[in-house]
Amino acid sequence: MDPFYRTENIEIFRKWVYFQVMNDPRLTLEEYDSRTYKIYYQKRVARFVIWPIGIVEEAVTEGEELLFYLHYQFYNFCFATDLFHRMIQKLTEVHEEKKSILLCCSGGMTTGYFAEKMNKYCQLNKLPYTIQAAPAYHLQDVYQKFDLILVAPQLRYKAAELMQQLQPVTVKCIEPTTFATYDCQALLDQIEDFYKNEEKV
């Protein structure tokens, strides 16, 4: 791109960004210096900088945590506006509160391993679940911290009794094949079915 046209396009882009933010009632804009905008949304801050050499820098932080970072050479308006929209999506994305699920078996060993696998699976897939494990004899001390308790197949005979004792927390049984194979997707399907039904009530 011709340097003159690039300079003109960068200036148009800077003004476009300014009006995009000013026209979004969710956002607050601060002109930090001649090349930097700070854009605020709830507890997050986006930093948008156009350096004199035509490099655009975009970052989103929440406290000390860096959530998004890009820097790129400005080539054309279309490319730059697309990347700006991606930064704003990250800035304004909704936080889902994590839901707490407890896996329970006789001694807590097998469910402890399954819970560890499930947490890794949830992290990789960015799912809003925290999975813990506990032995059956410890349930009375911890059950109130959870939305859902899933008991291992060997405790199926106690499920009805636990449902009564641990109200209002829901108690369900894990399918034997799911439990025996540590099938994270099958267990996730069971968890998500529970929460979908909860939303309908």
Side-chain angles (χ1 to χ4, degrees), residues 57-144:
E57 188 176 12
E58 300 175 352
V60 176
T61 56
E62 186 169 351
E64 298 297 312
E65 187 182 0
L66 182 65
L67 304 175
F68 180 98
Y69 181 80
L70 273 179
H71 70 279
Y72 55 91
Q73 183 75 47
F74 183 92
Y75 288 113
N76 63 62
F77 190 76
C78 185
F79 175 72
T81 55
D82 178 59
L83 294 178
F84 176 77
H85 281 307
R86 290 171 192 270
M87 180 187 74
I88 294 299
Q89 280 174 354
K90 187 63 186 177
L91 177 66
T92 58
E93 85 180 352
V94 177
H95 270 307
E96 276 195 82
E97 231 179 86
K98 291 220 169 185
K99 297 173 173 76
S100 298
I101 296 115
L102 183 69
L103 306 185
C104 176
C105 64
S106 306
M109 293 276 291
T110 11
T111 46
Y113 176 69
F114 204 173
E116 193 179 317
K117 277 195 75 172
M118 280 297 293
N119 280 318
K120 284 179 185 168
Y121 191 77
C122 290
Q123 282 166 12
L124 281 170
N125 291 284
K126 301 190 185 314
L127 300 168
Y129 304 114
T130 301
I131 320 286
Q132 293 183 44
Y137 61 79
H138 198 41
L139 272 178
Q140 286 291 345
D141 301 324
V142 298
Y143 78 94
Q144 290 169 319

Side-chain angles (χ1 to χ4, degrees), residues 141-152:
D141 301 324
V142 298
Y143 78 94
Q144 290 169 319
K145 300 176 191 172
F146 300 93
D147 306 311
L148 173 65
I149 295 170
L150 295 169
V151 297

Side-chain angles (χ1 to χ4, degrees), residues 1-14 74:
M1 183 187 285
D2 181 282
F4 172 78
Y5 289 114
R6 190 176 70 173
T7 303
E8 290 296 305
N9 278 321
I10 286 173
E11 193 50 41
I12 291 166
F13 178 51
R14 188 198 310 274
F74 183 92

